[in-house]
């Protein structure tokens, strides 16, 4: 190993002081008994996250400390959140929204977004967050596929991304706008603040059952449109316990998860887990800025910080002197997720910030952290850590009969698999049973990631088994980008790949073959880029477009993205026996 192990502290201050002992004594039933549940066997995430604390006399603790872009700060105690989410749940109920109905959000990190998320769960409906930097097409595709009945958004986002198609999506009954006092509301929309005013702050959490659908998170695959991963209220058991073990959360912590709630991390660990664990969560409305981030850690006395490799690399780029200007002594635990955390970043954090980032691994489908580095364990820079108590992770290889076999020999390459049955495991892809079934082999859920495990049980990420792109921690499906480019009249064929990037991990690159009558030119390249940006939004649109006469295809006509990638980066071309046309 090229990087030195960072030895655990001599007297670790950790919620998991003895990993082996906790794993041996762990049961999901015991984990569940730490939560309240509802009378009659019900379980509701909003109750566990908010109302439970109020009932136990902790209502005055700050649950959400919101930092506005302009420096304004708003605090919401657990009691405030209980009342606001009650009001929103009541408002939804009066609009005829109930069990199983889908409520989407499309907003920046505003307090109302958090109220909407928890209020939706409280009313028994299903919350589905969208990333506010998506363009109109990804927004529409997800709301349409999810049969969204309600959308909570802002007037500006509504005008830019929704108004153009709203009436073509029949399921979308209500649009609720988070508007300022002077905003004029477009026709056919409702005012979030007015709905809250009229709602009942005492509205009790709906008596949802543990297996009732609670969250719908869209995620991308190699082929087809985004898939809606279904999570149920029972997932809160995993959110809670993984928050405790993998993020080391405790009551009284000041916790800052920098992920946007438009993505799964920003919901499981940017809303639910910190609240069930009784912490105060910091929500910063502003985008990344190294100075602002260090100042936030210092001024807000953040004790536990959960961020992502892209942000860490940007902090590294901002220099080693900058953090020295700040007092970061309140920080107890730092962790990272979403993409491979390079060992250099772990080594940097130990040297410059005085503590290591603890990498952890999970994905939309797992609903919660599955593999992590813990405060009480040596950190091996470059490793994702060991599986959570209650989680059985393995490296498997496929057998010829379609089954899989766990491999025991250390550092053998295979697919990362998890023994099914943990509470936050996704329960399906919405309306796509076949795709869901394909994710499993016997008792194993196959993650689609390639990895290895060493003799000490630490997992090492190797790569993805598919063509999905990870850019700044966001999963991007090549098919969605290709489909948007194909709409342009000049485009005959297109393939999209991830191009390695030192800061954001990968950027989106497209290869385009033009229709007869069109010639490659700088002007056309810019036009295609503009087209993609308008349709998809800047977070998803390709940063680079190259023209090709033809794209390499298999005999069955599938474009070989892998081959394009190998050629682009001078990698071995692998098996090209199925290659049909190949005129570069
Ligand atoms: P998402 O479903 O968008 O959360 O993306 C999940 C995928 O991100 C995983 O399947 C991995 O490919 C990648 N990922 C997440 N965490 C890590 C990590 N700690 N190291 C490497 N890759 C990661």
């Amino acid at each position: 190993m090229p990087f030195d192990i960072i030895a655990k502290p001599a007297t670790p201050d950790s919620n998991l002081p003895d990993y082996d002992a906790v794993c041996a004594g762990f049961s999901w039933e015991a984990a569940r008994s730490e939560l309240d549940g509802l009378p009659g066997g019900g379980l509701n995430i909003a109750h566990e996250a908010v109302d439970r604390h109020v009932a136990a006399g902790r209502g005055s603790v700050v649950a959400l400390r919101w930092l506005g872009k302009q420096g304004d700060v708003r605090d919401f105690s657990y009691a405030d959140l209980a009342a606001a989410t009650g009001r929103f749940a009541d408002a939804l109920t009066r609009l005829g929204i109930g069990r199983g109905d889908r409520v989407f959000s499309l907003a920046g990190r505003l307090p109302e977004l958090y109220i909407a998320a928890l209020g939706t769960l409280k009313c028994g409906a299903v919350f589905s967050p969208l990333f506010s930097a998506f363009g109109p097409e990804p927004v529409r595709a997800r709301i349409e596929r999810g049969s969204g009945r309600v959308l909570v958004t802002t007037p500006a986002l509504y005008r830019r991304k929704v108004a153009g198609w709203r009436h073509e999506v029949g399921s979308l009954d209500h649009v609720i706008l988070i508007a300022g006092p002077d905003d004029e509301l477009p026709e056919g929309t409702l005012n979030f603040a007015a709905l809250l005013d009229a709602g009942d702050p005492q509205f009790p959490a709906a008596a949802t059952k543990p297996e009732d659908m609670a969250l719908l998170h869209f995620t991308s695959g190699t082929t087809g449109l985004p898939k809606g991963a279904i999570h149920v209220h029972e997932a809160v058991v995993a959110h809670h316990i993984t928050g405790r073990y993998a993020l080391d959360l405790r009551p009284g912590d000041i916790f800052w998860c920098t992920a946007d709630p438009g993505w799964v991390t920003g919901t499981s660990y940017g809303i639910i887990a910190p609240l069930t664990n009784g912490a105060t969560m910091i929500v910063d409305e502003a985008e990344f800025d190294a100075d602002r981030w260090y100042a936030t850690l210092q001024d807000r006395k953040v004790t536990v910080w959960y961020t992502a490799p892209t942000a860490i690399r940007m902090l590294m780029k901002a220099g080693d002197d900058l953090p020295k200007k700040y007092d970061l002594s309140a920080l107890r635990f730092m962790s990272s997720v979403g993409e491979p955390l390079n060992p250099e970043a772990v080594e940097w954090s130990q040297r410059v910030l005085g503590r290591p980032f603890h990498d952890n691994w999970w994905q939309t489908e797992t609903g919660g952290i599955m593999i992590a580095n813990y405060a009480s364990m040596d950190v091996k820079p470059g490793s994702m850590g060991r599986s959570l108590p209650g989680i059985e992770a393995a490296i498997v290889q496929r057998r010829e009969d379609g089954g899989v076999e766990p491999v025991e020999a250390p550092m053998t390459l295979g697919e990362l698999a998890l023994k099914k049955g943990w509470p936050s495991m996704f329960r399906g892809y919405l309306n796509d049973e076949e795709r869901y079934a394909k994710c499993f082999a016997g008792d194993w859920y196959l993650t689609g990631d390639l990895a290895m495990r060493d003799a000490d049980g630490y997992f090492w990420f190797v790569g993805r088994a598919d063509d999905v792109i990870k850019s700044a921690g966001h999963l991007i499906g090549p098919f969605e980008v290709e489909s948007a480019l194909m709409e342009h009249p000049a485009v005959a064929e297109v393939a999209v790949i991830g191009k390695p990037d030192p800061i954001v991990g990968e950027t989106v690159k497209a290869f385009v073959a033009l229709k007869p009558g069109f010639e490659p030119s700088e002007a056309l390249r810019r036009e295609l880029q503009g087209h993609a940006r308008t349709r998809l939004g800047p977070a998803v649109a390709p940063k680079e477009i190259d023209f090709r006469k033809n794209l390499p295809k298999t005999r069955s006509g599938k474009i070989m993205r892998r081959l394009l990638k190998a050629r682009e980066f001078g990698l071995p071309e692998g098996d090209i026996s199925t290659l049909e046309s190949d005129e570069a």
Side-chain angles (χ1 to χ4, degrees), residues 294 315-316 318-326 328 331 334 344-357:
Y294 287 127
L315 290 174
M316 290 167 73
D320 295 1
D321 289 335
L322 191 58
K324 291 189 190 129
K325 295 203 288 189
Y326 297 90
L328 306 180
L331 266 175
M334 314 194 307
E344 294 84 357
V346 180
E347 188 274 330
W348 173 83
S349 64
Q350 174 70 20
R351 184 166 48 79
V352 177
L353 305 181
R355 13 181 127 53
F357 272 108

Side-chain angles (χ1 to χ4, degrees), residues 104 128-130 134 138 141-143 145-146 215-231 263-264 363-365 426 428-439 445-448 464 466-468 475-480:
F104 281 75
S128 187
L130 299 175
F134 278 156
R142 286 160 177 76
I143 293 180
R145 281 174 84 77
L215 299 160
L216 183 64
H217 284 294
F218 281 88
T219 183
S220 300
T222 307
T223 54
L225 287 166
K227 310 167 275 187
I230 296 168
H231 290 283
W263 303 92
V264 73
Q363 52 181 197
T364 304
E365 286 82 349
F426 69 136
Y429 287 128
L430 194 68
N431 304 327
D432 203 343
E433 272 173 41
E434 202 181 316
R435 235 167 158 180
Y436 184 65
K438 275 196 191 143
C439 297
Y445 162 64
L446 306 170
T447 67
R464 292 205 41 114
D466 60 17
D467 290 338
V468 170
L475 211 56
I476 297 173
F479 180 77
E480 202 169 15

Side-chain angles (χ1 to χ4, degrees), residues 219 263-265 336-341 359-365 384 447 449 461 464 470 473-475:
T219 183
W263 303 92
V264 73
T265 304
S336 163
V337 74
E339 5 154 14
L341 180 65
D359 189 16
N360 60 51
W361 177 97
W362 60 291
Q363 52 181 197
T364 304
E365 286 82 349
M384 309 189 288
T447 67
D449 280 356
F461 182 80
R464 292 205 41 114
K470 255 281 156 127
H474 305 147
L475 211 56

Side-chain angles (χ1 to χ4, degrees), residues 519-578:
E519 288 300 321
S521 70
E522 200 39 49
L524 184 54
R525 189 196 314 274
R526 273 202 298 274
E527 187 180 319
L528 291 176
Q529 244 155 359
H531 167 90
R533 223 169 278 146
T534 318
R535 294 260 192 306
L536 299 168
V540 183
K543 297 271 175 298
E544 252 182 79
I545 296 181
D546 269 11
F547 294 109
R548 290 279 189 276
K549 263 203 172 126
N550 271 312
L551 300 177
K553 283 197 262 337
T554 62
R555 278 181 212 120
S556 58
K558 265 173 108 181
I559 293 174
M560 296 175 83
R561 296 192 190 101
R562 240 154 233 285
L563 190 56
L564 274 169
K565 201 167 178 175
R567 288 184 178 165
E568 177 75 1
F569 309 122
L571 304 168
E573 294 195 354
D575 179 8
I576 52 167
S577 56
T578 58

